[in-house]
Amino acid sequence: MNLQGELKGLVFNIQRFSIHDGPGIRTTVFFQGCNLHCFWCHNPESNPLEPVVQYYPAKCILCYRCVELCEHHAHDSIDGMHWYNREQCTVCGRCVEECYARALVIAAKPMATSEVFDEVMKDRLYYEDSGGGVTFSGGEPLLQIEFLVELLKKHQEAGVHTAVDTAGNVPWEWLDAILPFTNLILYDVKCVDDAKHRQVTGVSNRIILKNLENLSNRSIPVWVRIPVIPGVNDNPEDMQQIASCLTGNRAIQQVELLPFHHLGSGKFESLGKEYPSKGLKPPSDEQLKSLAQVVESFGLPVHRKT
């Protein structure tokens, strides 16, 4: 996207003082858009490639300002309750701008590369003191490849450590294009079995695993991130398959086990969707320790997130 001579992209969050997305203290920039549909996603609002309205009924103060404003009748008052009809909504944003209680929000917004850069550079001293930097995440940041490359260049030229968090489900040419400007790749791996991967994410993992194999021949370090999901890979057999697939990849510096959690449940509800992970239990510390030992038995260094 090129507006007024400067590249712009869609960003749905910029999180400062992040300590879980690479080394040191970091700023994580979350890009809108993802081409996977993982049922456990904790950022479901990032999935579409365009902005989406989130509605939180518990925050609504029944002022009905949205009902008055909406020309498309996406909002209505029925029996003293506010009703939001997504099928009528054009995501124009007028109701969001006037919602005093923040019951209606649009997370994604267009930002120029200079805007993102200026926001990231506010904490430059923290990066220098901690060995941190900026991490571009999502969603899938590589779906906005031109915007991402430009941001990586700007930050590297400024001496800021750069990392990209990707699921790898993109053409190799896109991934290869960011490597000259990237200091670290955070690479998600869910499972090795292709049929299971299709079932839980909606896509094949063939491109993902092939791209990870290609990274072995590059000089960029890779941290593999494995979300530990009940019923998907929270057992020794699946973890053995993953570890075996990773063995011999010279780019991999460490493996991170990321325990499943329910922090995204409210976001599904705000999008008018049923939460698909309801009833699943996060893995216990003992289970994570056991799975870490499986990965370590293949000679891979493991870091467990809490």
Side-chain angles (χ1 to χ4, degrees):
M1 191 186 309
N2 192 313
L3 298 177
Q4 297 180 348
E6 185 175 6
L7 279 174
K8 288 193 174 185
L10 274 179
V11 174
F12 74 89
N13 189 23
I14 297 181
Q15 179 177 301
R16 300 167 68 184
F17 298 100
S18 175
I19 58 172
H20 297 296
D21 295 319
I25 297 173
R26 312 188 69 79
T27 296
T28 303
V29 180
F30 293 89
F31 283 37
Q32 184 75 13
C34 186
N35 54 8
L36 273 68
H37 299 277
C38 308
F39 71 81
W40 62 87
C41 183
H42 57 274
N43 288 324
E45 74 276 26
S46 73
N47 194 267
L49 285 167
E50 62 278 337
V52 60
V53 173
Q54 294 174 262
Y55 171 51
Y56 295 91
K59 294 183 178 181
C60 181
I61 59 175
L62 302 177
C63 69
Y64 301 123
R65 179 64 174 153
C66 55
V67 178
E68 298 171 4
L69 285 172
C70 187
E71 300 175 353
H72 306 282
H73 308 292
H75 300 277
D76 202 355
S77 170
I78 303 177
D79 296 329
M81 298 293 292
H82 168 237
W83 292 89
Y84 172 47
N85 186 344
R86 292 185 177 277
E87 294 182 0
Q88 298 290 111
C89 183
T90 62
V91 197
C92 68
R94 290 190 66 198
C95 62
V96 172
E97 293 174 0
E98 296 292 331
C99 185
Y100 314 118
R102 298 285 292 167
L104 295 161
V105 298
I106 296 177
K109 63 178 181 179
M111 294 187 71
T113 53
S114 60
E115 293 178 289
V116 176
F117 179 78
D118 290 345
E119 186 67 23
V120 171
M121 295 303 287
K122 289 179 180 179
D123 293 324
R124 180 168 188 165
L125 290 178
Y126 291 104
Y127 312 147
E128 294 173 351
D129 291 343
S130 68
V134 61
T135 298
F136 298 103
S137 185
E140 173 53 69
L142 282 155
L143 294 182
Q144 299 185 56
I145 183 62
E146 293 182 3
F147 183 54
L148 176 60
V149 168
E150 187 64 23
L151 281 170
L152 288 168
K153 287 180 179 179
K154 287 178 73 72
H155 287 86
Q156 275 218 341
E157 289 170 359
V160 176
H161 182 278
T162 57
V164 174
D165 184 6
T166 177
N169 187 41
V170 295
W172 167 251
E173 291 75 18
W174 294 5
L175 190 56
D176 193 36
I178 70 170
L179 297 184
F181 319 106
T182 307
N183 298 114
L184 175 67
I185 298 291
L186 307 177
Y187 203 94
D188 297 349
V189 175
K190 281 77 171 176
C191 59
V192 173
D193 182 84
D194 187 62
K196 178 182 286 189
H197 197 276
R198 289 174 183 269
Q199 180 182 1
V200 301
T201 71
V203 303
S204 170
N205 64 5
R206 293 177 182 173
I207 292 176
I208 295 169
L209 297 180
K210 181 59 179 179
N211 283 342
L212 181 58
E213 180 183 339
N214 290 341
L215 285 172
S216 179
N217 300 317
R218 298 295 191 271
S219 58
I220 305 301
V222 174
W223 292 5
V224 169
R225 312 178 101 183
I226 305 173
V228 180
I229 311 300
V232 176
N233 58 11
D234 63 335
N235 59 82
E237 293 74 23
D238 278 285
M239 203 56 65
Q240 286 173 0
Q241 286 186 344
I242 295 174
S244 178
C245 180
L246 302 181
T247 302
N249 190 313
R250 296 184 296 274
I252 297 174
Q253 285 191 342
Q254 70 176 38
V255 176
E256 296 182 335
L257 299 186
L258 312 179
F260 164 81
H261 56 69
H262 288 287
L263 296 181
S265 60
K267 294 182 177 182
F268 276 93
E269 294 168 3
S270 75
L271 295 168
K273 298 179 179 180
E274 183 178 352
Y275 180 50
S277 301
K278 186 177 181 179
L280 295 183
K281 295 182 178 180
S284 65
D285 289 341
E286 293 77 14
Q287 188 176 11
L288 286 172
K289 182 178 179 181
S290 176
L291 294 175
Q293 290 173 344
V294 170
V295 177
E296 288 170 341
S297 70
F298 284 78
L300 296 164
V302 176
H303 178 70
R304 288 187 293 132
K305 290 291 180 69
T306 57

